[in-house]
Amino acid sequence: MSPGRNVSKTIYGFLLIAIFIIATGGQRSFAEMDAPEIARPGLEWFNVAAPLPIASLRGRVVILDFWTEGCINCIQIIPTLRRVEDKYPDKVVVIGVHSPKFANEKNAHSVKDAIRRYELRHPIIHDPDMTIWRAYGVQAWPTLVVIGADGKIGGSIPGEPDPDRFVAAIDKLVADSSKAGTLKPAALDLALIPEPKKRYLFPGKLKPVPGHDKRWALADGGHNQIVLLDDNGKELERYGSGEAGLLDGAKRAAHFDHPQGLIASSDAIFVADTENHAIRRIDLVTGAVTTLAGTGKRGTQLGAAEPGRTRALASPWDLEKKGDELFFANAGTHQIGVLDLKSGTVATLAGTGEEGLRDGRAASASMAQPSGLALSADGKTLYVADSESSAVRAIALSKDPQIVTLVGAGLFDFGWVNGDFQKARLQHPLGVAVDGDDLLVADTYNSAIRELELAKHEVVDFDGGKFTCVDPVCIPTREPAGIVADTPDRILLVDTGNHRIDEYRPSLKTYHTWSR
């Protein structure tokens, strides 16, 4: 494991590790070490009224969660931490230490959005210079550090722990602390960031619905629903009760859990139900919701074909469809999978499960949190927004699929640079769309639309980037996650951070809010 890497491998051992590597490079037993201070000058705290000095937490078990907002493995451990919080509201304190990887993640407003988006209900420290990370000798996202009720560091684990074993280890630590007399339960006085009251809440992907009347399907992730819109952005229908969960059934009774992506046929909407680790189907005639793949639990790397209903997936983020093949971005294992709608099986299309940026045969290539998909007009190429490598990849859908990187250089190579594909840089893109002979990218952490001119092998700001907002009140685009090229003169952008969809008109050089 190299410093500053996202850890995608699930760790199945117990939490307590005997040796802690401190920032100086030395080694000490955990039992000998007092936890370094976390209430450091100049750091911004969220969900509490004031910073919490480490001494003030003595008497409770403390879990420090070192995370960064775009990291899929950080997102996937949130339910496990929630289990602990719910089980021990006054005996265990979870504190998130936000340690940013990308430049945009150093922005406190972006962190506040992430807290709302992931519904985090524990204290968060925004540590843009990673001072606490260094003090605790952390080397990877995510890392959990456990501090005993006596104030001593108890253990550290990089990566995603096995949920049941992690909770069992915390159970034992709480019980041992109680027997030792060091446990002094006390509830935290929280001041949670309020949820925005919007029609949409952190929407994800928008895709067209084929048919006589032009309609659109939107993943309204924050509301755990799918929305059907007409061509003027007017809401026609909602699917899902709004309650998070995995439940099939009638359109208003079914439950989704923060769906991010989708694709539609003339008779159905297929949903990447991200936090359910599942792929769902909405019947457009009856409204009934059924599960096609996934078990509701986070799965391991995809491989040979297996029955979809019993195969666990990992944070599917977007979908594309070609005939009876449903391609899905399995972000949590850094792979592209394919669901055969006839047989009901799922298998790997691309990626070994290793996080990286390696081209060649799709079966042996590496990817990094694929999050957006777009199929070429001829159906021969699948384009991928590979977010953690700030890359756009292309998969040739041949008998022996091949993958090439169009733009992107590595996990820590990002920015806002135009020009030749080899030198151009993006920053954590989540969406990609085919626009004639070119590609449009929702360049999420740059809060911009970028264009890949495929014939020229160049990246430019979309149409020069000079569009005039014609809304009565204009606000800057914020972390868009989805994009659609409807016609050469109509681009729809899911402006996720502003909870809306914008319409761009290149011929007029204008844009405005299409639906909110």
Side-chain angles (χ1 to χ4, degrees):
M1 178 180 63
S2 60
R5 287 290 298 273
N6 294 354
V7 177
S8 58
K9 180 181 178 183
T10 302
I11 308 297
Y12 287 99
F14 280 94
L15 171 72
L16 301 180
I17 298 173
I19 300 298
F20 182 69
I21 309 300
I22 61 173
T24 59
Q27 296 183 350
R28 297 181 186 176
S29 166
F30 279 119
E32 298 172 3
M33 289 193 61
D34 289 324
E37 183 57 76
I38 58 175
R40 294 168 176 250
L43 299 186
E44 192 166 358
W45 287 63
F46 300 102
N47 284 342
V48 285
L52 302 172
I54 199 73
S56 72
L57 301 172
R58 190 161 295 193
R60 287 161 286 185
V61 173
V62 177
I63 302 172
L64 298 182
D65 172 26
F66 289 85
W67 66 293
T68 188
E69 62 186 81
C71 156
I72 189 63
N73 307 109
C74 303
I75 296 168
Q76 288 177 159
I77 66 172
I78 292 171
T80 303
L81 295 175
R82 211 166 270 153
R83 280 177 62 185
V84 174
E85 292 176 282
D86 291 343
K87 190 171 187 178
Y88 297 113
D90 59 351
K91 296 177 182 177
V92 178
V93 176
V94 177
I95 297 177
V97 184
H98 185 256
S99 311
K101 168 186 171 180
F102 289 98
N104 182 71
E105 293 173 334
K106 295 184 179 183
N107 184 325
H109 293 294
S110 182
V111 180
K112 285 180 73 173
D113 280 349
I115 292 168
R116 294 186 183 107
R117 186 164 58 247
Y118 304 138
E119 299 174 11
L120 302 179
R121 304 183 187 96
H122 52 253
I124 301 292
I125 313 168
H126 180 39
D127 186 17
D129 295 323
M130 302 172 78
T131 58
I132 303 175
W133 168 290
R134 290 193 295 274
Y136 280 82
V138 176
Q139 295 184 330
W141 299 282
T143 291
L144 301 178
V145 174
V146 175
I147 301 167
D150 60 357
K152 305 290 186 183
I153 294 174
S156 173
I157 187 167
E160 299 177 51
D162 175 85
D164 293 335
R165 291 183 177 182
F166 180 83
V167 175
I170 296 298
D171 288 342
K172 186 176 188 306
L173 188 54
V174 169
D176 289 349
S177 299
S178 182
K179 288 178 184 177
T182 57
L183 195 67
K184 295 178 174 58
L188 281 182
D189 186 15
L190 297 173
L192 300 180
I193 298 174
E195 179 184 286
K197 302 300 180 184
K198 302 286 186 178
R199 180 182 171 196
Y200 309 129
L201 185 61
F202 298 109
K205 303 295 190 284
L206 177 77
K207 300 284 180 71
V209 179
H212 181 268
D213 296 321
K214 202 167 188 179
R215 297 178 297 174
W216 300 87
L218 175 71
D220 190 7
H223 287 140
N224 304 305
Q225 293 176 317
I226 302 301
V227 186
L228 187 65
L229 304 168
D230 70 12
D231 199 40
N232 294 312
K234 180 182 177 181
E235 185 174 315
L236 299 174
E237 188 58 85
R238 277 185 181 260
Y239 302 92
S241 67
E243 182 179 344
L246 181 58
L247 180 67
D248 289 345
K251 62 184 175 185
R252 294 297 173 87
H255 295 173
F256 297 94
D257 195 348
H258 294 81
Q260 297 297 323
L262 35 64
I263 195 68
S265 63
S266 59
D267 61 350
I269 301 172
F270 301 92
V271 180
D273 196 6
T274 307
E275 294 193 20
N276 272 325
H277 310 291
I279 296 173
R280 319 285 293 281
R281 180 185 187 275
I282 301 171
D283 190 294
L284 283 170
V285 176
T286 67
V289 178
T290 54
T291 299
L292 301 180
T295 65
K297 294 185 177 181
R298 187 258 204 249
T300 55
Q301 285 90 344
L302 301 170
E306 299 178 61
R309 290 299 304 272
T310 56
R311 185 34 161 117
L313 308 181
S315 300
W317 213 273
D318 199 13
L319 302 173
E320 268 294 343
K321 185 175 181 294
K322 179 183 179 183
D324 289 319
E325 293 183 310
L326 194 67
F327 303 110
F328 60 96
N330 209 49
T333 62
H334 315 293
Q335 294 175 296
I336 304 299
V338 58
L339 168 62
D340 187 313
L341 294 173
K342 279 189 174 179
S343 67
T345 59
V346 296
T348 311
L349 173 71
T352 63
E354 173 195 2
E355 184 180 26
L357 192 71
R358 184 173 63 247
D359 290 346
R361 293 188 66 240
S364 57
S366 61
M367 309 187 79
Q369 203 171 313
S371 301
L373 301 177
L375 193 64
S376 63
D378 62 9
K380 294 181 179 180
T381 305
L382 183 67
Y383 296 104
V384 182
D386 209 22
S387 62
E388 274 296 293
S389 58
S390 297
V392 175
R393 321 283 293 276
I395 303 174
L397 299 176
S398 59
K399 208 168 189 180
D400 182 19
Q402 305 286 317
I403 185 169
V404 297
T405 299
L406 302 179
V407 176
L411 293 172
F412 294 89
D413 297 283
F414 55 85
W416 190 334
V417 181
N418 288 325
D420 181 81
F421 277 0
Q422 290 189 339
K423 296 179 180 179
R425 295 291 179 265
L426 310 170
Q427 188 180 186
H428 198 81
L430 291 178
V432 62
V434 175
D435 182 23
D437 295 329
D438 298 323
L439 298 179
L440 297 181
V441 176
D443 193 7
T444 307
Y445 280 178
N446 281 326
S447 293
I449 302 175
R450 310 286 293 286
E451 185 170 3
L452 273 63
E453 297 181 337
L454 298 178
K456 296 180 180 179
H457 287 76
E458 288 188 354
V459 176
V460 297
D461 295 337
F462 172 55
D463 216 28
K466 297 177 180 178
F467 284 77
T468 301
C469 170
V470 293
D471 284 338
V473 178
C474 295
I475 55 177
T477 301
R478 201 161 91 213
E479 299 186 7
I483 189 165
V484 183
D486 180 33
T487 69
D489 196 39
R490 190 192 194 202
I491 308 300
L492 296 175
L493 180 73
V494 183
D495 189 1
T496 303
N498 288 321
H499 318 289
R500 68 183 187 183
I501 305 164
D502 294 333
E503 181 181 66
Y504 283 73
R505 293 288 188 176
S507 65
L508 301 174
K509 288 290 188 180
T510 63
Y511 75 96
H512 66 277
T513 301
W514 177 71
S515 187
R516 62 184 304 169

